[in-house]
Amino acid sequence: MFDLSNKVAIVTGGSRGIGRAIAEAFAAQGAYVVLGYANGEAAAQSAVESIVSAGGKAEAVRIDVSAMAATEQTIADVAKRLGRLDILVANAGISVDGLLLRLGEDDLDRVLGVNLKGAVACARAAVKVMMRARTGRIIFMSSVVGEMGNAGQTAYAASKAALLGVTKSIAREYASRQITVNAVTPGFVDTDMTRALTDQQKTSIAESIPLGRTATAREIAAAAVYLASDEAAYVTGHALRVNGGMYM
């Protein structure tokens, strides 16, 4: 079950956090994983080495999703070189937090450029390959913040909410080609970002979650493995919530 053997997967933002956990989980299920990274080549190579040492197959490729044309070309080149592209996880994302009256136009453009436009560019490149194969899996990493909002995260919430509409639209466009398009909406996850919070902030977050804790990156990765698998062939246009009951 959930066997990804002989499949090629691209995971953007794959050098750390949720992206790395997804890459490792895909590789453990037999996929050849391409870890996309914008910065931090050392971290990306470390992730690749970890996968290879565990018996998996992976490589790292620089994919700066803020540059749409370059992103599409890079993904096309990777798919051509490897002969296929079965799975795309558009995970790369940034957040510029601050109250609305302090949100600058440049900050808004930067967040939407990476989180929304970058994800669309990745999907457009992947679809071109998947259409010819008449199969494929596209997974967008949205967020619970895109569903329920969060004070001080207007730009981030806008980008992640938009991805839910993108998911449904692309799912409708390419269902006839057997390409499924889904989203994962994680809640608070134990990553470098949340570890930087104060103990008081962490306690407050935990108290807002019915399950009483943050998620691990591996728990988010498990959802991505399911959506990428043959077992999820009849699931499309769906947002899979992995948030501990924070938003229902």
Side-chain angles (χ1 to χ4, degrees), residues 40-56:
E41 182 179 0
Q45 292 298 340
S46 174
V48 168
E49 291 170 6
S50 176
I51 289 171
V52 172
S53 66

Side-chain angles (χ1 to χ4, degrees), residues 18-99:
I18 293 172
R20 176 168 176 166
I22 291 172
E24 291 174 340
F26 281 2
Q29 294 302 117
Y32 184 97
V33 184
V34 178
L35 289 79
Y37 68 94
N39 300 297
E41 182 179 0
Q45 292 298 340
S46 174
V48 168
E49 291 170 6
S50 176
I51 289 171
V52 172
S53 66
K57 296 168 288 186
E59 64 176 85
V61 174
R62 188 172 187 277
I63 305 176
D64 180 358
V65 300
S66 66
M68 292 187 68
T71 292
E72 291 189 48
Q73 187 60 56
T74 299
I75 290 176
D77 291 344
V78 168
K80 182 177 181 180
R81 174 167 57 83
L82 296 178
R84 61 190 300 157
L85 174 57
D86 304 280
I87 304 160
L88 167 74
V89 181
N91 169 74
I94 62 171
S95 179
V96 179
D97 297 342
L99 297 177

Side-chain angles (χ1 to χ4, degrees), residues 66-243:
S66 66
M68 292 187 68
T71 292
E72 291 189 48
Q73 187 60 56
T74 299
I75 290 176
D77 291 344
V78 168
K80 182 177 181 180
R81 174 167 57 83
L82 296 178
R84 61 190 300 157
L85 174 57
D86 304 280
I87 304 160
L88 167 74
V89 181
N91 169 74
I94 62 171
S95 179
V96 179
D97 297 342
L99 297 177
L100 176 63
L101 295 182
R102 296 181 179 177
L103 178 63
E105 183 177 358
D106 289 346
D107 291 334
L108 179 59
D109 288 343
R110 189 153 61 96
V111 172
L112 294 177
V114 172
N115 297 5
L116 178 57
K117 292 174 65 178
V120 169
C122 291
R124 188 157 55 186
V127 159
K128 292 175 182 177
V129 180
M130 294 174 178
M131 283 179 62
R132 292 193 293 271
R134 300 191 68 82
T135 185
R137 300 282 186 270
I138 296 174
I139 302 168
F140 293 109
M141 296 305 297
S142 181
S143 169
V144 67
V145 174
E147 297 183 292
M148 63 182 285
N150 194 35
Q153 289 195 301
T154 295
Y156 185 75
S159 68
K160 294 301 184 178
L163 283 179
L164 299 179
V166 168
T167 296
K168 294 175 183 180
S169 296
I170 300 177
R172 288 184 181 277
E173 286 185 23
Y174 295 101
S176 65
R177 301 300 182 98
Q178 304 305 307
I179 300 170
T180 67
V181 187
N182 294 289
V184 178
T185 60
F188 282 94
V189 184
D190 183 19
T191 62
D192 293 341
M193 187 181 299
T194 54
R195 289 182 202 124
L197 299 173
T198 66
D199 290 340
Q200 183 177 359
Q201 288 172 317
K202 292 177 182 177
T203 298
S204 177
I205 290 170
E207 289 174 349
S208 71
I209 302 171
L211 285 182
R213 65 175 179 84
T214 56
T216 66
R218 288 187 177 184
E219 288 172 318
I220 310 304
V225 168
Y226 165 66
L227 292 175
S229 71
D230 290 344
E231 283 74 13
Y234 203 61
V235 179
T236 195
H238 180 67
L240 179 52
R241 294 171 179 158
V242 191
N243 63 30

